[in-house]
Amino acid sequence: MRIQILAIVASLGVIFFIISLIRKRKLREEYSIMWLIGSVVLIVFSIWRQLLDILAQAVGVYYAPAILLLIGIFFGVLIFLHLTVVISKQANETKCLAQEIALLKIKLDEATNTGKLEA
Amino acid sequence: MEFKTIAIVPAFNESKNIGGVIEDLRTHYPTAKILVINDCSIDHCDAVVRLFGESVISLPINLGIGGAVQTGLKYALDNGYDIAFQFDGDGQHMASEVEKIVLPIIRREADVVIGSRFLGTNGYQSSLIRRFGIEIFRLVNSLLIRRKITDNTSGFRAYNRRAIEFLSLFYPQDYPEPEAVIELFRNGFQIIEVPTLMRERKQGHSSIRTFGSGYYMIKVLMASLIAFSRKPVYKEKN
């Protein structure tokens, strides 16, 4: 019973921490969804303890808590994947911005050289 | 009709070579505008280009050869050039050979022309281990696009307006050459190869080091397969 309360409190703590990060604009909503889903799953497992056993039995896992580890690792990997997608997107955006700046710079140079613009 | 032609010269720490490259182009292909893309070099090669009085685009961050060439293509598109050709800043391409890759574009025989070291039998043809890698690209690309491209890694290429438009949107970022062949083919561009001579590098180092060549091979092969599996994005206007 004590471990259950501890688990609920810890999961709630994680959710509040994530929400407070969003409120302080330190975490964008779009990147917080994975974390929120993960912590809600944690809460569900903390409140409904039999779920773990039911799940373990359904998929034929002998040692029920192993399911918890599995779910944890699954979410961790999912978040890593999500992050690499975000990084790829940002790398592409950074590239476009760099090119745009470089093109603007040369446009400015050319305009200055041809006297259309005072430096 | 006069074609507006631009030479896109990607350069990364090529201050020792770039002057020779510019003089070569001025002497042997004077009709093209020269545009050097300085890919965030640390050796002031942009200053060398300015000293010669030619245009240089300096990227604020290092984008790799693909990102650099794409910047040049975007410039070509913005400024209404009909033909763009890539001419490496390390001096391995020869301006006297440019005519060969530009002519088929002018004659409307192709959208993209690749200068190949291997169609003829003269000139520099790269080291043994590199030729082995190039051979693998040739095999894979031939299987994928059912056309023989002998020199998939060659950066000596000319593009017409339509190809410039497409590539300014979709040009692979690092080690782009073999992947670009597939992307272009998949989107319906006519690609031909012509035999050209090339020189060995004079100074500096190639972007593909021997140490990283395994990674290079895997990355390019994977990118080629994925590029092949992509749906064509570019709809022909006519």
Side-chain angles (χ1 to χ4, degrees):
Chain A
M1 201 59 203
R2 203 179 295 159
I3 182 70
Q4 190 174 13
I5 292 166
L6 198 70
I8 293 172
V9 169
S11 311
L12 280 175
V14 170
I15 289 188
F16 281 121
F17 182 56
I18 291 164
I19 291 174
S20 83
L21 281 177
I22 303 172
R23 291 188 60 225
K24 284 186 233 155
R25 298 178 215 279
K26 281 185 178 169
L27 180 66
R28 292 170 66 115
E29 289 87 342
E30 59 209 276
Y31 305 137
S32 68
I33 290 167
M34 295 291 295
W35 291 110
L36 287 174
I37 293 173
S39 17
V40 168
V41 169
L42 272 179
I43 288 200
V44 170
F45 276 107
S46 321
I47 295 171
W48 185 13
R49 293 174 73 188
Q50 280 76 34
L51 182 63
L52 210 57
D53 297 316
I54 296 166
L55 220 65
Q57 220 150 37
V59 293
V61 172
Y62 176 71
Y63 180 60
I67 289 267
L68 215 53
L69 284 176
L70 191 72
I71 291 170
I73 291 169
F74 174 75
F75 263 100
V77 170
L78 215 60
I79 287 171
F80 282 149
L81 189 65
H82 178 66
L83 286 178
T84 43
V85 169
V86 171
I87 291 170
S88 303
K89 185 172 153 248
Q90 287 185 341
N92 198 35
E93 289 166 348
T94 311
K95 181 191 83 171
C96 286
L97 283 175
Q99 291 178 330
E100 213 54 47
I101 289 174
L103 289 167
L104 281 172
K105 266 199 311 197
I106 192 171
K107 205 173 232 175
L108 190 68
D109 275 354
E110 286 170 347
T112 313
N113 289 341
T114 52
K116 280 180 202 153
L117 202 77
E118 285 301 309
Chain B
M1 183 189 155
E2 196 58 46
F3 288 92
K4 259 180 98 178
T5 308
I6 186 169
I8 295 171
V9 185
F12 178 62
N13 295 339
E14 297 287 2
S15 59
K16 290 197 182 81
N17 292 320
I18 200 74
V21 169
I22 289 171
E23 291 203 314
D24 188 22
L25 277 167
R26 277 180 177 174
T27 315
H28 294 105
Y29 206 79
T31 49
K33 180 194 167 72
I34 299 170
L35 175 67
V36 176
I37 319 292
N38 165 30
D39 193 7
C40 207
S41 302
I42 49 166
D43 69 346
H44 306 293
C45 76
D46 51 340
V48 177
V49 179
R50 284 206 186 88
L51 214 65
F52 275 84
E54 299 294 349
S55 297
V56 57
I57 289 185
S58 284
L59 291 168
I61 45 180
N62 181 270
L63 292 184
I65 176 99
V69 170
Q70 190 182 34
T71 311
L73 291 166
K74 286 181 176 179
Y75 179 92
L77 186 70
D78 287 349
N79 294 278
Y81 285 90
D82 305 298
I83 298 170
F85 64 90
Q86 185 184 329
F87 195 87
D88 285 353
D90 58 8
Q92 64 167 322
H93 297 160
M94 298 157 75
S96 50
E97 300 286 296
V98 170
E99 189 71 34
K100 293 181 187 168
I101 59 167
V102 169
L103 213 58
I105 305 263
I106 293 174
R107 289 186 183 146
R108 294 178 194 280
E109 290 166 358
D111 302 306
V112 177
V113 183
I114 302 173
S116 169
R117 280 163 283 184
F118 308 122
L119 275 179
T121 46
N122 297 320
Y124 174 64
Q125 301 204 319
S126 201
S127 62
L128 196 68
I129 184 127
R130 275 176 196 218
R131 291 216 49 180
F132 173 72
I134 290 165
E135 205 60 43
I136 290 178
F137 292 142
R138 180 198 309 207
L139 196 72
V140 171
N141 276 15
S142 302
L143 283 173
L144 290 179
I145 67 179
R146 306 206 167 277
R147 184 161 317 186
K148 200 176 159 203
I149 301 290
T150 60
D151 200 353
N152 283 288
T153 60
S154 163
F156 193 42
R157 297 173 176 197
Y159 304 107
N160 70 2
R161 178 81 184 168
R162 223 163 59 85
I164 294 171
E165 252 175 65
F166 173 75
L167 291 173
S168 67
L169 291 175
F170 303 98
Y171 199 70
Q173 190 158 357
D174 39 27
Y175 316 133
E177 289 88 5
E179 194 184 337
V181 170
I182 296 192
E183 290 269 11
L184 284 161
F185 173 81
R186 289 283 290 162
N187 286 279
F189 288 91
Q190 185 68 34
I191 307 167
I192 64 165
E193 260 191 324
V194 295
T196 52
L197 301 178
M198 283 187 203
R199 280 187 289 252
E200 204 166 345
R201 297 176 55 86
K202 286 176 191 157
Q203 307 268 347
H205 300 278
S206 163
S207 56
I208 306 160
R209 295 148 298 136
T210 319
F211 181 71
S213 54
Y215 168 75
Y216 170 75
M217 289 294 298
I218 292 168
K219 194 263 164 192
V220 170
L221 287 176
M222 195 190 76
S224 296
L225 288 171
I226 289 179
F228 181 73
S229 72
R230 284 196 188 111
K231 281 198 183 113
V233 280
Y234 190 80
K235 293 214 175 68
E236 218 172 317
K237 274 156 195 160
N238 295 313

